[in-house]
Amino acid sequence: MVCAAASPTLTTASWCLLCLPLERFHVFGPSGPIVAELGKDATLPCSLFPVMSAENMELRWFRSNVWESVFTYQDRQERHEELMAQYAGRTSLVGKFLSEGEASVIIHEVQAADNGLYTCFFSNGVLHGQASLELQVAGVGSAPQVHILGPEEDGVRVVCTASGWFPEPQVQWRHLHGEQFLEFSKAQAQDNEGLFSVEAALVVRDSSAGSVTCSILNPILGQEKAMAIVIPAWRKAQLYADWRKEQFQAWPVTLDPDSCSHEIVLSHDKTSLTCHHDGKGGEYTVLGLEGITSGRCYWEVEVKSGDRTQWGLGVWRKDEKNRYSANSPLKGKWVIGQYNYIFQAFTDPDTTLPIRQFPHRVGVFLDYDHGDVSFYDMTDGSHIFSFPPESFSGALLPYFACYSGDVSMTLCPLEAGPQKPSVPMNNPPSLEEPTVSP
């Protein structure tokens, strides 16, 4: 009971009113954490026991101290004097159950900085109570991007990157059949909005691994994004273009005018093409003049195109039936390129390639005898993509395609050496270890 001291100015009725017992109350919050996704709304509920009206009470939701106000309700209205800047215009009261002792504050468009502990405070001017609440903010960021960096020690270094996650995500590397790699390095950083970027590097020492998968997991939401990458059974000599060139025959490509779409213009020496495609009427293509039926050879192509252009290049199996078919190995084409504003390999389904920027000089490496078609960024020598090995049949020709926009492609001059083998190479040297050309 709370009773005011006697006062000569108080009437008997007033004195009796002040001496009425005030019922004690307790404030309760949720029993467990409140989970909210980035960008969505979060509700912080509190209630009184026993049930009584909170309409005339002072209500506060705050962070570490009472002056770090998230929301304040006093004298039947919202008060903004002590509101933290990050919550300005982002909080509102659900007050329709105040008469029943229930009140909730909504935080709109949750941010990473909203993550953490809160306190809700109820006071009737004499008695007060409070309860603690935990808000767990969670967000799923970008899908992982995986690429091969190159050889390291006795294996291949593979790097996985992702951004925009909260809280710090869990990273796993898995074998083809699901077993986890236990040893890999990981680094993380937070941006200005508090979101996490991660980079995880794995050294694959098993040359028969086939493929590895990087998965990024949000531990609160239980949501995962993953990407796999094929690890060819190569040694160091195959991981960098400069090393592979020592084992491959330079193949100066001549473009075949008879295979050229009318919309493509060839240079006088048949080593470059230009194309303007309005995006209608399918693909415009041109082929290399001479087919490859054995051995190892490579050629380099400089590509000039805009962000909105679409093009492809690679290898085509000589078969008139598949000339204008879909781009995929199943249709006799091993092609990569820029399509729908992303860089991809035309597999079935398409494979988005994890590159930092579109390559402007692409090396195409064809190992006919081992069934391998691989692509490299010849600017920095890094590996772009390798199609799964298969058994080739028939002649394979260089392939160039324009799907939309203005595109030019030029066959780059190659290093000195035989201009073109009259007979395809047989019994090429082993790729197991690097060798030095004479």
Side-chain angles (χ1 to χ4, degrees), residues 67-287:
W67 307 117
E68 293 183 336
S69 174
V70 174
F71 184 89
T72 300
Y73 171 88
Q74 192 175 26
D75 298 330
R76 289 178 170 262
Q77 62 182 348
E78 297 181 18
R79 307 297 294 268
H80 304 286
E81 293 84 353
E82 300 158 4
L83 193 66
M84 294 176 66
Q86 80 179 69
Y87 296 100
R90 294 181 53 234
T91 56
S92 60
L93 178 67
V94 181
K96 67 179 187 177
F97 297 112
L98 281 178
S99 61
E100 301 174 17
E102 295 181 8
S104 301
V105 161
I106 297 178
I107 301 177
H108 301 278
E109 297 181 0
V110 165
Q111 307 168 359
D114 298 331
N115 186 74
L117 296 177
Y118 292 76
T119 299
C120 62
F121 173 91
F122 285 52
S123 172
N124 61 12
V126 179
L127 302 176
H128 67 268
Q130 63 186 43
S132 296
L133 308 86
E134 181 183 2
L135 177 62
Q136 291 186 347
V137 177
V140 175
S142 68
Q145 298 295 303
V146 185
H147 60 278
I148 298 174
L149 273 190
E152 180 168 313
E153 299 173 354
D154 56 346
V156 179
R157 174 171 284 268
V158 188
V159 173
C160 172
T161 58
S163 61
W165 290 73
F166 192 88
E168 180 183 339
Q170 297 174 359
V171 182
Q172 290 183 352
W173 283 100
R174 294 193 295 266
H175 288 271
L176 177 63
H177 301 294
E179 303 91 343
Q180 291 188 29
F181 290 93
L182 300 181
E183 296 184 5
F184 60 88
S185 62
K186 175 187 171 185
Q188 64 279 328
Q190 284 182 278
D191 61 18
N192 294 334
E193 297 179 356
L195 305 182
F196 283 88
S197 297
V198 294
E199 179 176 294
L202 170 72
V203 178
V204 181
R205 294 182 171 85
D206 183 0
S207 62
S208 62
S211 69
V212 295
T213 299
C214 174
S215 67
I216 311 293
L217 173 69
N218 186 298
I220 296 176
L221 299 176
Q223 295 183 20
E224 179 186 52
K225 290 186 177 182
M227 181 177 180
I229 189 170
V230 175
I231 306 295
W234 295 345
R235 295 289 187 177
K236 293 181 180 180
Q238 291 178 288
L239 291 174
Y240 281 127
D242 287 346
W243 291 348
R244 292 207 84 185
K245 286 164 65 174
E246 297 177 357
Q247 307 292 340
F248 280 65
Q249 173 69 51
W251 186 268
V253 177
T254 301
L255 301 175
D256 181 7
D258 292 336
S259 70
C260 186
S261 299
H262 295 302
E263 296 79 4
I264 292 180
V265 178
L266 302 183
S267 64
H268 179 72
D269 60 0
K270 309 298 187 294
T271 61
S272 67
L273 66 94
T274 57
C275 170
H276 174 73
H277 197 313
D278 60 6
K280 302 177 182 179
E283 63 184 27
Y284 304 155
T285 62
V286 63
L287 303 172

Side-chain angles (χ1 to χ4, degrees), residues 283-300:
E283 63 184 27
Y284 304 155
T285 62
V286 63
L287 303 172
L289 182 62
E290 297 186 36
I292 302 163
T293 57
S294 65
R296 297 183 177 121
C297 55
Y298 77 96
W299 56 95
E300 300 178 21

Side-chain angles (χ1 to χ4, degrees), residues 361-411:
R361 183 162 176 160
V362 179
V364 184
F365 287 74
L366 170 61
D367 184 343
Y368 192 102
D369 299 334
H370 291 81
D372 175 69
V373 179
S374 297
F375 299 85
Y376 291 81
D377 185 337
M378 303 307 289
T379 303
D380 58 14
S382 61
H383 174 254
I384 297 176
F385 183 76
S386 293
F387 283 91
E390 63 178 272
S391 178
F392 293 142
S393 63
L396 302 181
L397 295 94
Y399 174 87
F400 310 86
C402 174
Y403 310 116
S404 70
D406 296 324
V407 180
S408 68
M409 300 185 193
T410 301
L411 279 305

